[in-house]
Amino acid sequence: MTKSTKTISLLITLFIITTFSSTPSKILGRKVGGRTPIKDVKTNKKIQELGKYCVEEYNHSLKKYNHIMQKDNIEFLNFVEVLEAETQIVSGIKYYLKISTFTLGMVKIFDAELVIKSWEKKKELIHFSPFNYAIN
Ligand SMILES: *[C@@H]1O[C@H](CO)[C@@H](O)[C@H](O)[C@H]1NC(C)=O
């Protein structure tokens, strides 16, 4: 990539960010922007299913990565449960999930962000990383 194409793609990214963050403050009568915590997460079947989906997607990307890197000590995750969840109305609904997983005899907590665009019925895992106790 040349320097100018990098600049252009950065500008496009910034444009997309500005465009999405300046969507009308209300969509379908619900407030845009704020995060809403979900109560009774542990008994919420839909949220638990979404959490499992995030872990499956993560496993999936690990498999692809393994295919390229030829590593054999990869840590696939087993889903345990979603511990906490918040939603946010963006262009669709964004879910912030704190997920408990199990791998190599250890419990590991991850933060996941998932966007569901209901009109496309499409789920997209946009973030998955170890939960950082030091920061939170
Ligand atoms: C992740 O992959 C491993 C290995 O294939 C499997 O045992 C585990 O059940 C998978 N986890 C989920 C949540 O599907």
Side-chain angles (χ1 to χ4, degrees), residues 64-128:
K64 277 192 206 157
Y65 173 78
N66 182 45
H67 198 69
I68 299 162
M69 305 299 285
Q70 304 289 316
K71 282 178 74 178
D72 44 34
N73 58 336
I74 42 172
E75 297 179 25
F76 289 113
L77 301 177
N78 294 290
F79 175 73
V80 178
E81 63 179 349
V82 178
L83 303 171
E84 289 171 20
E86 290 178 332
T87 57
Q88 184 179 34
I89 311 294
V90 284
S91 51
I93 300 179
K94 187 167 176 180
Y95 290 85
Y96 296 85
L97 308 176
K98 188 196 278 186
I99 304 173
S100 172
T101 69
F102 191 76
T103 182
L104 306 177
M106 276 171 54
V107 171
K108 286 190 180 176
I109 313 291
F110 286 83
D111 272 324
E113 291 175 25
L114 184 79
V115 172
I116 300 183
K117 296 177 178 173
S118 51
W119 56 93
E120 291 175 26
K121 293 201 178 357
K122 213 175 114 183
K123 293 197 277 271
E124 194 186 353
L125 181 64
I126 56 172
H127 179 87
F128 196 86

